[in-house]
Amino acid sequence: MHSATLTTLDLVESVMADGMTLTKALSGVREEVPHMLGVPAEYGLLVEAEAAAQIVEAASLPVGSPFGPAIGQGLARIEEQPIEEQEQFVRTAARRYALTTPPRPRSVPALLPPARTPGRAR
């Protein structure tokens, strides 16, 4: 989800630069990210929720449970701010998320056992 959340935050920032509000940007990006990342459309909602939580946290507002009302309330409070501040919260969230969330581990090829060298038998 690391890559998907960063992609979502980057896209939200990009469409907000065109004058779109935060919640409209999140909603629109939810539909685009699954196509961009090649994941089922159902994952768009999860990625949107994670991005929203990161933005609310960047605004120093309580996040609470992902299924509770705090994220929605936080987004509503952020929407009351000027668009420039909303954009700043998105940038802060993306920067913080990139720095504090470890990327998904890459698969490491199995090590081959050392080759036997012909030699004396013991």
Side-chain angles (χ1 to χ4, degrees):
M1 180 112 77
H2 177 77
S3 170
T5 302
L6 280 177
T7 300
T8 301
L9 291 167
D10 290 341
L11 285 173
V12 167
E13 181 181 358
S14 176
V15 296
M16 286 185 73
D18 294 334
M20 194 176 285
T21 64
L22 176 60
T23 53
K24 286 183 183 177
L26 278 169
S27 176
V29 168
R30 169 187 5 143
E31 297 171 13
E32 294 300 319
V33 168
H35 299 294
M36 292 176 63
L37 298 176
V39 297
E42 295 80 20
Y43 289 118
L45 186 60
L46 297 173
V47 173
E48 177 190 11
E50 175 64 20
Q54 295 298 320
I55 295 165
V56 170
E57 185 177 353
S60 299
L61 297 170
V63 175
S65 163
F67 304 107
I71 294 174
Q73 291 167 347
L75 289 174
R77 288 190 56 197
I78 292 169
E79 283 265 328
E80 295 171 355
Q81 305 300 316
I83 194 80
E84 295 81 17
E85 286 185 40
Q86 294 178 38
E87 291 171 335
Q88 183 58 45
F89 293 140
V90 175
R91 283 191 293 276
T92 300
R95 188 171 45 252
R96 181 183 297 165
Y97 194 78
L99 293 173
T100 61
T101 305
R104 193 175 69 177
R106 299 175 189 257
S107 60
V108 178
L111 296 176
L112 298 175
R116 291 189 167 199
T117 56
R120 294 185 278 189
R122 293 184 188 204

PDB file of all heavy atoms in Angstrom, residues 34 38-44:
ATOM      1  N   PRO A  34      -6.494   2.740  -8.950  1.00  0.00           N
ATOM      2  CA  PRO A  34      -6.492   1.311  -9.275  1.00  0.00           C
ATOM      3  C   PRO A  34      -6.094   1.033 -10.731  1.00  0.00           C
ATOM      4  O   PRO A  34      -5.354   0.090 -11.007  1.00  0.00           O
ATOM      5  CB  PRO A  34      -7.933   0.880  -9.010  1.00  0.00           C
ATOM      6  CG  PRO A  34      -8.423   1.846  -7.986  1.00  0.00           C
ATOM      7  CD  PRO A  34      -7.763   3.145  -8.350  1.00  0.00           C
ATOM      8  N   GLY A  38      -2.879  -1.060 -11.580  1.00  0.00           N
ATOM      9  CA  GLY A  38      -3.273  -2.397 -12.004  1.00  0.00           C
ATOM     10  C   GLY A  38      -3.835  -3.253 -10.887  1.00  0.00           C
ATOM     11  O   GLY A  38      -3.599  -4.458 -10.838  1.00  0.00           O
ATOM     12  N   VAL A  39      -4.568  -2.630  -9.973  1.00  0.00           N
ATOM     13  CA  VAL A  39      -5.199  -3.376  -8.879  1.00  0.00           C
ATOM     14  C   VAL A  39      -6.715  -3.290  -9.039  1.00  0.00           C
ATOM     15  O   VAL A  39      -7.225  -2.402  -9.732  1.00  0.00           O
ATOM     16  CB  VAL A  39      -4.773  -2.835  -7.493  1.00  0.00           C
ATOM     17  CG1 VAL A  39      -3.280  -3.011  -7.294  1.00  0.00           C
ATOM     18  CG2 VAL A  39      -5.171  -1.388  -7.311  1.00  0.00           C
ATOM     19  N   PRO A  40      -7.454  -4.189  -8.399  1.00  0.00           N
ATOM     20  CA  PRO A  40      -8.917  -4.131  -8.493  1.00  0.00           C
ATOM     21  C   PRO A  40      -9.468  -2.786  -8.015  1.00  0.00           C
ATOM     22  O   PRO A  40      -8.912  -2.160  -7.110  1.00  0.00           O
ATOM     23  CB  PRO A  40      -9.389  -5.264  -7.579  1.00  0.00           C
ATOM     24  CG  PRO A  40      -8.229  -6.203  -7.502  1.00  0.00           C
ATOM     25  CD  PRO A  40      -7.005  -5.334  -7.614  1.00  0.00           C
ATOM     26  N   ALA A  41     -10.552  -2.352  -8.626  1.00  0.00           N
ATOM     27  CA  ALA A  41     -11.160  -1.056  -8.311  1.00  0.00           C
ATOM     28  C   ALA A  41     -11.537  -0.943  -6.832  1.00  0.00           C
ATOM     29  O   ALA A  41     -11.505   0.151  -6.264  1.00  0.00           O
ATOM     30  CB  ALA A  41     -12.390  -0.832  -9.187  1.00  0.00           C
ATOM     31  N   GLU A  42     -11.862  -2.048  -6.203  1.00  0.00           N
ATOM     32  CA  GLU A  42     -12.252  -2.031  -4.789  1.00  0.00           C
ATOM     33  C   GLU A  42     -11.147  -1.488  -3.898  1.00  0.00           C
ATOM     34  O   GLU A  42     -11.398  -0.950  -2.831  1.00  0.00           O
ATOM     35  CB  GLU A  42     -12.649  -3.434  -4.306  1.00  0.00           C
ATOM     36  CG  GLU A  42     -13.885  -3.990  -4.961  1.00  0.00           C
ATOM     37  CD  GLU A  42     -13.630  -4.569  -6.352  1.00  0.00           C
ATOM     38  OE1 GLU A  42     -12.461  -4.889  -6.693  1.00  0.00           O
ATOM     39  OE2 GLU A  42     -14.591  -4.689  -7.122  1.00  0.00           O
ATOM     40  N   TYR A  43      -9.901  -1.632  -4.316  1.00  0.00           N
ATOM     41  CA  TYR A  43      -8.781  -1.146  -3.522  1.00  0.00           C
ATOM     42  C   TYR A  43      -8.682   0.375  -3.520  1.00  0.00           C
ATOM     43  O   TYR A  43      -8.023   0.955  -2.671  1.00  0.00           O
ATOM     44  CB  TYR A  43      -7.461  -1.745  -4.000  1.00  0.00           C
ATOM     45  CG  TYR A  43      -7.322  -3.212  -3.676  1.00  0.00           C
ATOM     46  CD1 TYR A  43      -7.187  -4.152  -4.697  1.00  0.00           C
ATOM     47  CD2 TYR A  43      -7.339  -3.659  -2.368  1.00  0.00           C
ATOM     48  CE1 TYR A  43      -7.070  -5.501  -4.404  1.00  0.00           C
ATOM     49  CE2 TYR A  43      -7.224  -5.009  -2.080  1.00  0.00           C
ATOM     50  CZ  TYR A  43      -7.087  -5.917  -3.092  1.00  0.00           C
ATOM     51  OH  TYR A  43      -6.973  -7.251  -2.805  1.00  0.00           O
ATOM     52  N   GLY A  44      -9.319   1.018  -4.485  1.00  0.00           N
ATOM     53  CA  GLY A  44      -9.296   2.471  -4.551  1.00  0.00           C
ATOM     54  C   GLY A  44      -9.817   3.115  -3.280  1.00  0.00           C
ATOM     55  O   GLY A  44      -9.267   4.104  -2.789  1.00  0.00           O
TER      56      GLY A  44
END
